[in-house]
């Protein structure tokens, strides 16, 4: 199979304050809450990447949260042919 990579993007949210002397940094934390990615793909640091090992359709729900833990979820369908 062919390799695959896509960066997930979210806008808005509340930044995380890690250093009181530096500007807050807006970091989004991504996770899979239901379902799974196709075999061979992984979610790491907001990027879905890898080489799918077989054809098929996977439905999964991703959650993104901000620095205060506020979160939203979205259902995705990924087709591997």
């Amino acid at each position: 199979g062919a390799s695959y990579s896509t960066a997930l993007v979210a806008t808005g949210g509340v930044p995380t304050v890690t250093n009181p002397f530096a500007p807050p940094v807006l970091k989004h934390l991504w996770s899979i809450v239901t379902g799974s990615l196709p075999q061979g793909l992984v979610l790491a640091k907001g990027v879905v990447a890898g080489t799918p090992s077989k054809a098929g359709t996977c439905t999964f729900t991703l959650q993104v949260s901000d620095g205060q833990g506020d979160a939203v979820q979205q259902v995705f369908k990924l087709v591997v042919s």
Side-chain angles (χ1 to χ4, degrees):
S3 63
Y4 177 85
S5 179
T6 191
L8 304 172
V9 178
T11 58
V14 177
T16 301
V17 178
T18 56
N19 179 344
F21 303 106
V25 177
L26 181 58
K27 292 184 179 182
H28 291 109
L29 177 63
W30 293 90
S31 58
I32 300 170
V33 290
T34 63
S36 62
L37 295 172
Q39 284 184 331
L41 296 183
V42 294
L43 169 62
K45 297 184 180 180
V47 176
V48 175
T51 302
S53 58
K54 66 179 187 175
T57 301
C58 289
T59 302
F60 51 94
T61 302
L62 293 181
Q63 176 174 292
V64 61
S65 57
D66 66 9
Q68 289 194 328
D70 294 326
V72 294
Q73 297 180 357
Q74 177 68 47
V75 176
F76 292 87
K77 184 185 293 187
L78 189 58
V79 179
V80 177
S81 54

